[in-house]
Amino acid sequence: MRKLLSGHRLVAVITLESSDDAVPLAKALVAGGLCALEVTLRTDAAVEGVSNIIREVPEAIVGTGTVCTTQQVALSEDLGCSYMVSPGATNELLEAGQRASIPLLPGVSTVSEMMNGMQFGYRDFKFFPAGACGGVTFLKSLQGPFPAVQFCPTGGVGVHNIGEYLALPNVLAVGGSWIAPVGLIRDKRWDEIENLARDAVALCT
Ligand code: 3PG
């Protein structure tokens, strides 16, 4: 994940209601300078949407999100994704991620979950839901005992706190849905999404 996200400090968490929105949305985000996209597998439109983005927007670094099962791990590989993100981490999922041809960013919200993931060889984790589980303070507390571990906090991250998160040495990147709000996608307000992406990326430098 570190290599993949090198230079990309913001991941857009996307939920698609229609696969037709996938390509214009991805193009708007990329035009705004945001190339790391996580398309959540929460809707029926997700699979076709991911496929369309990979085929038509080559600048995008596309991963699946809300990966909860080993079947979704296999699906993500088959779709040609660059990475996968899970909200939590079962041992079954951690094992499937180890065997997969693309990296899995497993979700954790406690020290013990993180240590369990470390036993499977993981060093990079999604910290979810970051805001509800201690946020910046939690991550600061882990710098001493776990200097080799890096996190991508998501859940409650936004323009109000992105700078605080990115200033932490153990934060690889942050993720959030505020750059691609479902309402703006539904209304196809691609220019506004491009501006949101540009403003967010400007906060990452
Ligand atoms: C998610 O998987 O839903 C992400 O963590 C997004 O959280 P957010 O909507 O608070 O940005």
Side-chain angles (χ1 to χ4, degrees):
M1 277 311 284
R2 290 183 200 188
K3 209 164 137 195
L4 193 68
L5 287 180
S6 163
H8 300 275
R9 303 214 69 203
L10 178 60
V11 179
V13 177
I14 295 169
T15 298
L16 291 169
E17 291 182 327
S18 162
S19 58
D20 292 344
D21 293 333
V23 168
L25 171 64
K27 284 185 174 169
L29 293 168
V30 167
L34 210 177
C35 294
L37 314 183
E38 176 192 329
V39 181
T40 59
L41 296 180
R42 296 178 200 171
T43 60
D44 293 340
V47 170
E48 196 182 334
V50 166
S51 250
N52 292 349
I53 298 172
I54 291 173
R55 195 177 55 247
E56 296 186 40
V57 192
E59 305 92 333
I61 303 164
V62 188
T64 45
T66 326
V67 170
C68 298
T69 66
T70 56
Q71 288 81 1
Q72 289 172 323
V73 168
L75 172 66
S76 305
E77 291 182 280
D78 290 348
L79 284 169
C81 290
S82 299
Y83 65 98
M84 308 166 276
V85 184
S86 63
T90 62
N91 286 350
E92 197 185 22
L93 198 59
L94 290 166
E95 278 167 10
Q98 276 181 317
R99 290 192 303 268
S101 56
I102 54 174
L104 169 69
L105 185 71
V108 298
S109 61
T110 69
V111 174
S112 295
E113 288 168 5
M114 183 203 67
M115 287 172 63
N116 186 54
M118 290 175 78
Q119 286 191 331
F120 284 83
Y122 292 85
R123 293 294 177 273
D124 304 329
F125 298 93
K126 167 170 168 148
F127 172 39
F128 175 80
C133 292
V136 167
T137 313
F138 178 86
L139 293 177
K140 269 187 189 164
S141 308
L142 297 190
Q143 286 166 14
F146 302 102
V149 177
Q150 294 271 295
F151 296 92
C152 293
T154 66
V157 180
V159 289
H160 60 291
N161 58 11
I162 185 173
E164 273 183 274
Y165 278 112
L166 289 177
L168 298 177
N170 57 349
V171 168
L172 189 57
V174 300
S177 65
W178 86 92
I179 318 116
V182 170
L184 290 190
I185 299 173
R186 195 178 293 144
D187 295 341
K188 307 193 189 307
R189 287 153 68 182
W190 310 126
D191 287 352
E192 281 179 57
I193 290 175
E194 181 181 330
N195 288 337
L196 281 176
R198 188 170 293 112
D199 291 348
V201 169
L203 294 172
C204 299
T205 53

